[in-house]
Amino acid sequence: EIFERIHEAYELLAQLEHSIPSESVSADSVILIIKTQIIIYRRFPVAVREQKYPSYGLLLKVLAPWTATESVETRQLRDVGLQLIHYTCQVSPLNAKELVRAGGVERLHATLLEGLSQYRVIAGGLVSGPADGRRTSADGLAQQRELTSVVQMLTYILKALAAVCSFEQGRGVLLNHCPAFSLAVVEVCKYAKDMPLAVEAALSIIGRCAVLAELQMSLVNAGAVWRLIPKLLAFDVTLGIHFQEESGRAVFNQHASN
């Protein structure tokens, strides 16, 4: 009975094409619908595992490019859209394949590059401060919240791409975006302290993409080896599950918060 109710709710909520923001449907309504789907995928992954997500083509429409003048609704739509894409791919490999067929990899790749650009700008501002040196504590907190939001979105993107890298067709599409894709993934590995879960997903991408010789060479040329060697040398098998290092605790804490 519970499965039937979940199935009925999923079928209803999956009709995203009837809820794309328009004159008659508000962005708030679409955000609520997407958030409800996220809840279903998080709480009942087994029940929806065999059901292919039917509306990637329309879901991708909410992934508007990052702009300095974007509205709050646009940002919220993009955030929940990326989150839903991540959970659908995490629940079922079939969804990752469907995402590739819908052209989702191209959109995720573009959003990854935009997100990294945003991260550099915001992180650079936090380090250097404003040109006139007059930054209030409120400004700093706002920038920190914005940086946290960008890091979270980058994590969702990379986790979804890690699922895409699990099969040949997905790796082939990503190869078409090299060297930009390889450079972006390797760059993420620089930020282990700031985005440990994103780095974890980036390392999964590197491992899975290395199966394809052309992608492996592209990653090597992007400097992946120089990012991996310090992590290999820093690994200590005696740590067990206690996460003695700061980076390990950061990953553990982020897993708990998600």
Side-chain angles (χ1 to χ4, degrees), residues 184-204:
V185 171
V186 172
E187 181 183 349
V188 169
C189 294
K190 292 166 48 178
Y191 309 125
K193 290 184 178 180
D194 295 334
M195 51 177 84
L197 286 185
V199 173
E200 187 179 85
L203 293 175
S204 295

PDB file of all heavy atoms in Angstrom, residues 184-204:
ATOM      1  N   ALA A 184      38.526  21.782 -15.395  1.00  0.00           N
ATOM      2  CA  ALA A 184      37.598  22.126 -14.314  1.00  0.00           C
ATOM      3  C   ALA A 184      37.647  21.096 -13.194  1.00  0.00           C
ATOM      4  O   ALA A 184      37.682  21.440 -12.005  1.00  0.00           O
ATOM      5  CB  ALA A 184      36.174  22.242 -14.864  1.00  0.00           C
ATOM      6  N   VAL A 185      37.654  19.815 -13.551  1.00  0.00           N
ATOM      7  CA  VAL A 185      37.682  18.750 -12.550  1.00  0.00           C
ATOM      8  C   VAL A 185      38.979  18.803 -11.740  1.00  0.00           C
ATOM      9  O   VAL A 185      38.973  18.674 -10.513  1.00  0.00           O
ATOM     10  CB  VAL A 185      37.522  17.370 -13.223  1.00  0.00           C
ATOM     11  CG1 VAL A 185      37.764  16.244 -12.215  1.00  0.00           C
ATOM     12  CG2 VAL A 185      36.123  17.232 -13.832  1.00  0.00           C
ATOM     13  N   VAL A 186      40.084  19.020 -12.424  1.00  0.00           N
ATOM     14  CA  VAL A 186      41.382  19.100 -11.735  1.00  0.00           C
ATOM     15  C   VAL A 186      41.434  20.335 -10.847  1.00  0.00           C
ATOM     16  O   VAL A 186      41.984  20.297  -9.740  1.00  0.00           O
ATOM     17  CB  VAL A 186      42.531  19.099 -12.760  1.00  0.00           C
ATOM     18  CG1 VAL A 186      43.867  19.385 -12.069  1.00  0.00           C
ATOM     19  CG2 VAL A 186      42.597  17.758 -13.486  1.00  0.00           C
ATOM     20  N   GLU A 187      40.849  21.433 -11.301  1.00  0.00           N
ATOM     21  CA  GLU A 187      40.832  22.649 -10.480  1.00  0.00           C
ATOM     22  C   GLU A 187      40.081  22.424  -9.172  1.00  0.00           C
ATOM     23  O   GLU A 187      40.498  22.902  -8.114  1.00  0.00           O
ATOM     24  CB  GLU A 187      40.192  23.812 -11.240  1.00  0.00           C
ATOM     25  CG  GLU A 187      40.163  25.102 -10.432  1.00  0.00           C
ATOM     26  CD  GLU A 187      39.468  26.247 -11.139  1.00  0.00           C
ATOM     27  OE1 GLU A 187      39.183  26.115 -12.341  1.00  0.00           O
ATOM     28  OE2 GLU A 187      39.214  27.277 -10.479  1.00  0.00           O
ATOM     29  N   VAL A 188      38.968  21.700  -9.237  1.00  0.00           N
ATOM     30  CA  VAL A 188      38.185  21.424  -8.028  1.00  0.00           C
ATOM     31  C   VAL A 188      39.049  20.742  -6.974  1.00  0.00           C
ATOM     32  O   VAL A 188      38.911  21.000  -5.767  1.00  0.00           O
ATOM     33  CB  VAL A 188      36.953  20.549  -8.364  1.00  0.00           C
ATOM     34  CG1 VAL A 188      36.285  20.047  -7.090  1.00  0.00           C
ATOM     35  CG2 VAL A 188      35.957  21.354  -9.194  1.00  0.00           C
ATOM     36  N   CYS A 189      39.965  19.882  -7.422  1.00  0.00           N
ATOM     37  CA  CYS A 189      40.821  19.140  -6.482  1.00  0.00           C
ATOM     38  C   CYS A 189      41.729  20.056  -5.673  1.00  0.00           C
ATOM     39  O   CYS A 189      42.317  19.624  -4.679  1.00  0.00           O
ATOM     40  CB  CYS A 189      41.656  18.108  -7.244  1.00  0.00           C
ATOM     41  SG  CYS A 189      40.682  16.782  -8.004  1.00  0.00           S
ATOM     42  N   LYS A 190      41.862  21.327  -6.069  1.00  0.00           N
ATOM     43  CA  LYS A 190      42.679  22.286  -5.325  1.00  0.00           C
ATOM     44  C   LYS A 190      42.001  22.710  -4.029  1.00  0.00           C
ATOM     45  O   LYS A 190      42.659  23.166  -3.102  1.00  0.00           O
ATOM     46  CB  LYS A 190      42.927  23.537  -6.171  1.00  0.00           C
ATOM     47  CG  LYS A 190      43.794  23.331  -7.374  1.00  0.00           C
ATOM     48  CD  LYS A 190      43.713  24.507  -8.345  1.00  0.00           C
ATOM     49  CE  LYS A 190      43.869  25.852  -7.672  1.00  0.00           C
ATOM     50  NZ  LYS A 190      43.820  26.970  -8.665  1.00  0.00           N
ATOM     51  N   TYR A 191      40.664  22.559  -3.965  1.00  0.00           N
ATOM     52  CA  TYR A 191      39.902  23.173  -2.892  1.00  0.00           C
ATOM     53  C   TYR A 191      39.429  22.147  -1.859  1.00  0.00           C
ATOM     54  O   TYR A 191      38.272  22.162  -1.441  1.00  0.00           O
ATOM     55  CB  TYR A 191      38.707  23.925  -3.475  1.00  0.00           C
ATOM     56  CG  TYR A 191      39.064  24.868  -4.592  1.00  0.00           C
ATOM     57  CD1 TYR A 191      38.446  24.777  -5.837  1.00  0.00           C
ATOM     58  CD2 TYR A 191      40.023  25.859  -4.410  1.00  0.00           C
ATOM     59  CE1 TYR A 191      38.763  25.646  -6.865  1.00  0.00           C
ATOM     60  CE2 TYR A 191      40.358  26.732  -5.436  1.00  0.00           C
ATOM     61  CZ  TYR A 191      39.726  26.622  -6.670  1.00  0.00           C
ATOM     62  OH  TYR A 191      40.054  27.488  -7.684  1.00  0.00           O
ATOM     63  N   ALA A 192      40.317  21.268  -1.436  1.00  0.00           N
ATOM     64  CA  ALA A 192      39.926  20.194  -0.517  1.00  0.00           C
ATOM     65  C   ALA A 192      39.395  20.720   0.812  1.00  0.00           C
ATOM     66  O   ALA A 192      38.487  20.135   1.400  1.00  0.00           O
ATOM     67  CB  ALA A 192      41.116  19.257  -0.274  1.00  0.00           C
ATOM     68  N   LYS A 193      39.935  21.836   1.293  1.00  0.00           N
ATOM     69  CA  LYS A 193      39.495  22.368   2.579  1.00  0.00           C
ATOM     70  C   LYS A 193      38.136  23.050   2.483  1.00  0.00           C
ATOM     71  O   LYS A 193      37.349  23.029   3.427  1.00  0.00           O
ATOM     72  CB  LYS A 193      40.528  23.349   3.133  1.00  0.00           C
ATOM     73  CG  LYS A 193      41.826  22.685   3.579  1.00  0.00           C
ATOM     74  CD  LYS A 193      42.772  23.695   4.213  1.00  0.00           C
ATOM     75  CE  LYS A 193      44.042  23.023   4.705  1.00  0.00           C
ATOM     76  NZ  LYS A 193      44.981  24.002   5.323  1.00  0.00           N
ATOM     77  N   ASP A 194      37.865  23.678   1.340  1.00  0.00           N
ATOM     78  CA  ASP A 194      36.636  24.436   1.185  1.00  0.00           C
ATOM     79  C   ASP A 194      35.459  23.591   0.701  1.00  0.00           C
ATOM     80  O   ASP A 194      34.309  23.887   1.021  1.00  0.00           O
ATOM     81  CB  ASP A 194      36.847  25.593   0.201  1.00  0.00           C
ATOM     82  CG  ASP A 194      37.832  26.613   0.731  1.00  0.00           C
ATOM     83  OD1 ASP A 194      37.963  26.716   1.966  1.00  0.00           O
ATOM     84  OD2 ASP A 194      38.477  27.295  -0.088  1.00  0.00           O
ATOM     85  N   MET A 195      35.719  22.574  -0.117  1.00  0.00           N
ATOM     86  CA  MET A 195      34.636  21.750  -0.664  1.00  0.00           C
ATOM     87  C   MET A 195      35.040  20.275  -0.720  1.00  0.00           C
ATOM     88  O   MET A 195      35.213  19.706  -1.797  1.00  0.00           O
ATOM     89  CB  MET A 195      34.242  22.262  -2.057  1.00  0.00           C
ATOM     90  CG  MET A 195      35.392  22.443  -3.023  1.00  0.00           C
ATOM     91  SD  MET A 195      34.837  22.965  -4.688  1.00  0.00           S
ATOM     92  CE  MET A 195      34.695  24.736  -4.487  1.00  0.00           C
ATOM     93  N   PRO A 196      35.207  19.641   0.437  1.00  0.00           N
ATOM     94  CA  PRO A 196      35.686  18.254   0.465  1.00  0.00           C
ATOM     95  C   PRO A 196      34.787  17.265  -0.266  1.00  0.00           C
ATOM     96  O   PRO A 196      35.278  16.329  -0.908  1.00  0.00           O
ATOM     97  CB  PRO A 196      35.752  17.938   1.967  1.00  0.00           C
ATOM     98  CG  PRO A 196      34.878  18.954   2.620  1.00  0.00           C
ATOM     99  CD  PRO A 196      34.993  20.184   1.791  1.00  0.00           C
ATOM    100  N   LEU A 197      33.462  17.441  -0.209  1.00  0.00           N
ATOM    101  CA  LEU A 197      32.573  16.514  -0.909  1.00  0.00           C
ATOM    102  C   LEU A 197      32.664  16.695  -2.414  1.00  0.00           C
ATOM    103  O   LEU A 197      32.564  15.725  -3.171  1.00  0.00           O
ATOM    104  CB  LEU A 197      31.126  16.706  -0.440  1.00  0.00           C
ATOM    105  CG  LEU A 197      30.789  16.163   0.944  1.00  0.00           C
ATOM    106  CD1 LEU A 197      29.306  16.322   1.223  1.00  0.00           C
ATOM    107  CD2 LEU A 197      31.186  14.699   1.067  1.00  0.00           C
ATOM    108  N   ALA A 198      32.854  17.934  -2.861  1.00  0.00           N
ATOM    109  CA  ALA A 198      33.038  18.179  -4.289  1.00  0.00           C
ATOM    110  C   ALA A 198      34.336  17.539  -4.772  1.00  0.00           C
ATOM    111  O   ALA A 198      34.391  16.951  -5.862  1.00  0.00           O
ATOM    112  CB  ALA A 198      33.045  19.676  -4.572  1.00  0.00           C
ATOM    113  N   VAL A 199      35.379  17.644  -3.960  1.00  0.00           N
ATOM    114  CA  VAL A 199      36.657  17.010  -4.307  1.00  0.00           C
ATOM    115  C   VAL A 199      36.502  15.493  -4.343  1.00  0.00           C
ATOM    116  O   VAL A 199      37.041  14.821  -5.234  1.00  0.00           O
ATOM    117  CB  VAL A 199      37.753  17.419  -3.301  1.00  0.00           C
ATOM    118  CG1 VAL A 199      39.033  16.630  -3.555  1.00  0.00           C
ATOM    119  CG2 VAL A 199      38.025  18.914  -3.396  1.00  0.00           C
ATOM    120  N   GLU A 200      35.754  14.962  -3.408  1.00  0.00           N
ATOM    121  CA  GLU A 200      35.495  13.522  -3.385  1.00  0.00           C
ATOM    122  C   GLU A 200      34.825  13.075  -4.681  1.00  0.00           C
ATOM    123  O   GLU A 200      35.193  12.050  -5.281  1.00  0.00           O
ATOM    124  CB  GLU A 200      34.603  13.191  -2.186  1.00  0.00           C
ATOM    125  CG  GLU A 200      34.381  11.712  -1.948  1.00  0.00           C
ATOM    126  CD  GLU A 200      33.500  11.478  -0.739  1.00  0.00           C
ATOM    127  OE1 GLU A 200      32.258  11.503  -0.892  1.00  0.00           O
ATOM    128  OE2 GLU A 200      34.044  11.293   0.362  1.00  0.00           O
ATOM    129  N   ALA A 201      33.830  13.850  -5.145  1.00  0.00           N
ATOM    130  CA  ALA A 201      33.155  13.527  -6.405  1.00  0.00           C
ATOM    131  C   ALA A 201      34.099  13.696  -7.590  1.00  0.00           C
ATOM    132  O   ALA A 201      34.073  12.903  -8.534  1.00  0.00           O
ATOM    133  CB  ALA A 201      31.927  14.420  -6.571  1.00  0.00           C
ATOM    134  N   ALA A 202      34.951  14.732  -7.546  1.00  0.00           N
ATOM    135  CA  ALA A 202      35.908  14.963  -8.626  1.00  0.00           C
ATOM    136  C   ALA A 202      36.888  13.796  -8.740  1.00  0.00           C
ATOM    137  O   ALA A 202      37.254  13.372  -9.850  1.00  0.00           O
ATOM    138  CB  ALA A 202      36.666  16.265  -8.396  1.00  0.00           C
ATOM    139  N   LEU A 203      37.319  13.264  -7.613  1.00  0.00           N
ATOM    140  CA  LEU A 203      38.228  12.114  -7.630  1.00  0.00           C
ATOM    141  C   LEU A 203      37.537  10.880  -8.217  1.00  0.00           C
ATOM    142  O   LEU A 203      38.164  10.090  -8.943  1.00  0.00           O
ATOM    143  CB  LEU A 203      38.726  11.812  -6.213  1.00  0.00           C
ATOM    144  CG  LEU A 203      39.630  12.882  -5.587  1.00  0.00           C
ATOM    145  CD1 LEU A 203      39.966  12.531  -4.147  1.00  0.00           C
ATOM    146  CD2 LEU A 203      40.901  13.056  -6.404  1.00  0.00           C
ATOM    147  N   SER A 204      36.251  10.720  -7.931  1.00  0.00           N
ATOM    148  CA  SER A 204      35.487   9.615  -8.534  1.00  0.00           C
ATOM    149  C   SER A 204      35.419   9.783 -10.047  1.00  0.00           C
ATOM    150  O   SER A 204      35.547   8.813 -10.800  1.00  0.00           O
ATOM    151  CB  SER A 204      34.075   9.560  -7.951  1.00  0.00           C
ATOM    152  OG  SER A 204      34.103   9.254  -6.573  1.00  0.00           O
TER     153      SER A 204
END
